[in-house]
Amino acid sequence: MADILKPDLCILGAGAAGIALAIAARDHGASVVMIDLGAPGDSLKSGPVPSAALAAAAATAHNLRNATSFGMGNGDPKVNFRGVHEFIQSTIAAIAPREAAERLRALGIEMLAAPAAFVDKRTVKAGETLIRARRFVIASGSNPVVPPIKNLGEVPFFSTDTIFANTYKLSHLVILGGGALGLEFAQSYRRLGCEVTVVEASSALAEVDSEAAEMTLRRLREEGVIIHERSVVTEMVPRSQGIGVMIRHEDGTEATLDASHILLAVGRTPNFGGLALDKAGIRFDKGNADRLLLRPKLLTSNGRVHVIGEAAGSPPSLPAAQHDAHVVLESALFNRTIKRAPTDIPVTVFTDPQVAQIGVTEAAAKLRLKGAYKVIRASFSENDRAIAMRRSAGIAKLITDRHGAILGAAIAGPEAGELIAFFGLAIRHGIRLPDLADAVAPYPSFTGIVGQLVEAWRQQAGAEPWRQRRLALVRRLP
């Protein structure tokens, strides 16, 4: 007879989103069963951790080539791609214990590693175990999209999951997709000495502020990455040596790229394979057959089942996963409603310069605020730390209301991903831009950009009343 478990929460999937929720639920005393749908550690084998390690190796090679600006002789690094692969794997191994099943069990989470499927609206079967939980949470992650391109199945290709297994130099890597992931890989492989071409059907980095994106795209092109925007791949041509990639540009002209390797980076789609969602009465969105029909609190059409993370269509990032976990935790355990606000989650592109944004974008402000906003800009070319480190290309911009309340921020520059957290906190707690003048930043530091933004705000006409009040105080002095 099959075992029957009756926990407060059953989580299907042991990736970042599932683990974040499981740990938070245990902190509140809830009983948790987590079902690992794949091999242990799979969630670390791809994604931001190995990508960051790859970028670090690439940055080291880039810095060696450009050492003359610091008074040193240029070096032409001999890149050992097997060594780079081993470095990436060692990085994963250093972090893996945090997500190990042993650690999660020590926290009181019951771990199962088996294929799982719903058998009815309130029961899941994993191996020989039945789980009848108060609430179920689907955290099954996503899979890379494989686009319907002629002859694509006839040629070898990498996905953004499988490319981390590579141990060889890629003489000409053609990347399909000019979003954050595609361009992060493009810059890394270019800096490691590979020829790289990116083909994007619309605008590259369309998911972030266009002004910030343009600064990063300019840098990538200067480094030798070829980017074809508003172009599509129409066909792959198998060859005895390499791969022919047929592309068509927006104006109708066509060209052929001679590629050694292909990387697909055109997006991800939720993974629900084998879960038998129909038996649980869980319906898909009629407007998008790949997505589940979701109600508030990230509930599916089955009131006992939530969905979080990439399975819910959220971005593949830990902050997004943690945000989803918080929404579901409050709903499933305490019946509270936490509004899901994607603009509360920072979006970061880990290129060089990095791009990061949070809150209201300038494009959204134009549509929604009808002129009742201001755009404040500051340049890293006037930041002493950036100048000293030869990293002065970049801008920081804020969207504020007329009174200086920060509505949104976008940064293209050094450590943008670190700096954006500062403005996220200000937005969350309603801190006005002039109040940030009280923050004391180390000198010289990249956070000095905050003071530059405050000064830029004061110099705008909208800050004139502030100046007048200060002047009135000065005139009262004896």
Side-chain angles (χ1 to χ4, degrees), residues 63-367:
N63 291 337
L64 288 172
R65 291 192 191 95
N66 294 276
T68 53
S69 60
F70 294 93
M72 304 175 194
N74 276 359
D76 188 10
K78 184 178 180 181
V79 178
N80 180 338
F81 281 84
R82 184 169 292 279
V84 172
H85 174 264
E86 290 172 356
F87 166 65
I88 293 172
Q89 297 309 306
S90 69
T91 303
I92 294 170
I95 295 173
R98 299 182 201 167
E99 299 190 4
E102 292 77 10
R103 173 179 179 258
L104 298 176
R105 288 191 182 100
L107 295 173
I109 299 165
E110 185 157 357
M111 297 292 297
L112 301 175
F118 284 92
V119 295
D120 58 41
K121 289 187 176 182
R122 55 177 303 170
T123 310
V124 163
K125 186 175 183 181
E128 296 301 315
T129 303
L130 294 175
I131 302 103
R132 290 181 184 147
R134 285 181 53 227
R135 294 289 186 273
F136 293 92
V137 180
I138 299 171
S140 50
S142 66
N143 294 319
V145 171
V146 179
I149 296 172
K150 185 178 179 180
N151 293 332
L152 179 59
E154 305 300 317
V155 300
F157 59 81
F158 292 114
S159 73
T160 52
D161 285 351
T162 63
I163 194 169
F164 295 109
N166 175 58
T167 58
Y168 299 97
K169 181 176 181 178
L170 311 180
S171 57
H172 183 194
L173 177 64
V174 173
I175 300 176
L176 278 60
L181 279 176
L183 292 180
E184 288 171 9
F185 281 112
Q187 188 173 47
S188 290
Y189 272 96
R190 179 66 190 127
R191 288 180 165 188
L192 290 171
C194 307
E195 296 298 319
V196 179
T197 300
V198 177
V199 183
E200 166 56 43
S202 59
S203 298
L205 285 184
E207 63 266 50
V208 297
D209 177 85
S210 59
E211 186 176 0
E214 184 52 40
M215 301 203 73
T216 294
L217 293 174
R218 187 183 308 130
R219 169 68 67 81
L220 265 66
R221 288 185 169 109
E222 289 171 353
E223 292 184 10
V225 177
I226 298 172
I227 304 173
H228 295 291
E229 297 182 271
R230 290 168 289 281
S231 302
V232 295
V233 175
T234 58
E235 183 180 355
M236 297 291 179
V237 181
R239 295 175 177 168
S240 57
Q241 294 288 329
I243 304 164
V245 182
M246 307 289 291
I247 66 172
R248 184 172 61 246
H249 302 297
E250 184 180 36
D251 61 5
T253 59
E254 297 183 339
T256 302
L257 306 177
D258 296 318
S260 65
H261 297 81
I262 305 295
L263 169 61
L264 304 183
V266 293
R268 303 183 70 86
T269 185
N271 173 30
F272 303 119
L275 294 180
L277 300 182
D278 55 326
K279 292 184 178 180
I282 297 173
R283 298 196 301 272
F284 284 82
D285 189 338
K286 291 181 180 178
N288 188 338
D290 294 327
R291 301 289 173 88
L292 296 181
L293 180 65
L294 292 183
R295 298 184 285 168
K297 304 179 184 180
L298 294 173
L299 266 175
T300 68
S301 49
N302 180 334
R304 290 181 178 272
V305 183
H306 299 261
V307 58
I308 62 174
E310 294 176 63
S314 294
S317 73
L318 182 59
Q322 291 172 333
H323 185 271
D324 284 0
H326 180 57
V327 169
V328 168
L329 181 72
E330 293 295 319
S331 172
L333 297 186
F334 308 111
N335 198 30
R336 298 173 185 157
T337 299
I338 302 294
K339 290 185 177 180
R340 191 178 186 221
T343 55
D344 292 344
I345 302 169
V347 176
T348 309
V349 184
F350 289 100
T351 48
D352 177 18
Q354 293 178 7
V355 181
Q357 69 180 33
I358 194 168
V360 176
T361 64
E362 184 176 2
K366 288 178 181 178
L367 292 174

Side-chain angles (χ1 to χ4, degrees), residues 376-378 383 398 422-423 433 436-441 445-459:
I376 314 298
R377 292 179 174 83
N383 178 274
L398 299 181
F422 188 95
F423 296 110
L433 183 54
L436 293 182
D438 295 334
V440 180
S445 70
F446 295 127
T447 51
I449 201 79
V450 177
Q452 295 172 238
L453 288 163
V454 172
E455 184 59 30
W457 181 81
R458 287 175 175 171
Q459 290 176 1

